[in-house]
Amino acid sequence: MRSDADIADLIAFFRARRGAARGFRFTDPYDDRSGPPGMAPGPLDQRLGSGDGVTTDFVLMRHYGGGADAQARRITRPVAGTIRVAIDGVEQADGWQHVGLGVIAFDAAPGEGTLITAGYRFDVPVRFCARGSAGD
């Protein structure tokens, strides 16, 4: 905060979102996509799972690092119109849809052993935290 105007802007933003009562979407400028920073999402960016011939729903994931130390993060707020999906490296223009909260549903279950991947941009669900409340 550099000025009283900055503080006033922050307070207005806080009040417009009903304080801590409601969450809102935040675009993290340093982590907002499935691939490298500044690059457009590609359908091979992130592994979602393997087909088994039965499962039709796959959850969008973002992986950080590799090997035993890798962290997997579920993505629940993809940006509309940015999701690209592939089966065994072949982008799928149709036959799937985003049904909400980062779940991709295929019209027909991908075959056994197929690799399901996706690329997308995403927001992070956030809310204001009231410091000094009970339990802090």
Side-chain angles (χ1 to χ4, degrees):
M1 302 281 111
R2 292 182 239 178
S3 68
D4 288 343
D6 287 346
I7 293 171
D9 286 345
L10 179 61
I11 291 170
F13 183 81
F14 174 83
R15 298 239 185 261
R17 277 135 195 94
R18 312 297 190 273
R22 293 193 182 155
F24 55 95
R25 294 173 75 125
F26 172 73
T27 301
D28 181 342
Y30 301 105
D31 187 15
D32 71 340
R33 62 196 67 218
S34 55
M39 300 294 292
L44 308 179
D45 287 350
Q46 298 291 319
R47 183 180 191 279
L48 305 186
S50 296
D52 60 9
V54 177
T55 303
T56 57
D57 292 359
F58 293 83
V59 176
L60 292 178
M61 299 296 291
R62 173 77 165 98
H63 298 91
Y64 301 90
D69 292 332
Q71 176 191 4
R73 173 184 178 191
R74 182 173 177 171
I75 301 300
T76 60
R77 303 297 191 279
V79 175
T82 68
I83 302 171
R84 298 174 66 188
V85 175
I87 299 175
D88 275 345
V90 178
E91 187 166 8
Q92 305 296 300
D94 53 22
W96 63 272
Q97 63 182 326
H98 176 238
V99 295
L101 295 178
V103 176
I104 301 302
F106 287 94
D107 295 345
E112 188 169 344
T114 57
L115 176 63
I116 315 304
T117 57
Y120 44 84
R121 296 211 40 199
F122 62 92
D123 293 329
V124 180
V126 297
R127 74 175 60 243
F128 286 103
C129 177
R131 302 283 294 158
S133 62
D136 277 355

